Amino acid sequence: DVKVTQSSRYLVKRTGEKVFLECVQDMDHENMFWYRQDPGLGLRLIYFSYDVKMKEKGDIPEGYSVSREKKERFSLILESASTNQTSMYLCASSLDPFRGGGSYNEQFFGPGTRLTVL
Amino acid sequence: GIQVEQSPPDLILQEGANSTLRCNFSDSVNNLQWFHQNPWGQLINLFYIPSGTKQNGRLSATTVATERYSLLYISSSQTTDSGVYFCAVRRYGNKLVFGAGTILRVKS
């Protein structure tokens, strides 16, 4: 079974702090994703990575950065946390060797991190 | 971009009842997934089903790609089925586009 883990289930930070959210997958997946989920807005893609040190912006990258130094680990960084970044953060991974169609691009999600910024 | 609409937005069932959730999408897709989000926020994969029909226990799903819709069937519902059901599609590239979800409440 694919396993995607996230470093914290709940996190409380103060405005202006630098925040790191960590995600690790154990299935050698090329692709990793960070989403945020907010009531009424659904799941929105922040960033994704299709290889080590490679990243692409999603729909809402402002205020976030990412790091992928190893294939199994994808970090989301809030350089200076703000209250509007209070949200549920979900990490996902998928195997997508051809970056195309086929059955390899099923995404699997971690348990989520509920971040509160005070 | 591609639009994904789910219906109904809310559904309340008595335990043991059957239900059908629908997902309409506005363009052809390479990938369609159904997820169940449990009360703790975890997204559980139910089906990867860009076309055809699949069954897993009390759940089954059908996607008619040519008509741009997918259906999720839940039979003999249980209280543990409660939560939010999401449909998500991928047209090209790596990005999944999610519907707004169906909130299901199963009462005992």
Side-chain angles (χ1 to χ4, degrees), chain B residues 25-82:
Chain B
F25 42 95
S26 61
D27 212 332
S28 59
V29 298
N30 290 320
N31 172 7
L32 188 146
Q33 292 184 244
W34 282 100
F35 297 92
H36 173 216
Q37 188 167 39
N38 65 23
W40 297 273
Q42 170 103 48
L43 277 170
I44 309 296
N45 289 44
L46 296 178
F47 294 102
Y48 173 91
I49 186 167
S51 63
T53 297
K54 290 186 177 179
Q55 180 153 9
N56 184 3
R58 296 182 295 104
L59 273 59
S60 64
T62 295
T63 297
V64 184
T66 53
E67 297 187 21
R68 298 179 187 168
Y69 74 87
S70 183
L71 302 174
L72 178 69
Y73 306 96
I74 304 173
S75 64
S76 304
S77 58
Q78 300 175 359
T79 56
T80 51
D81 295 331
S82 297

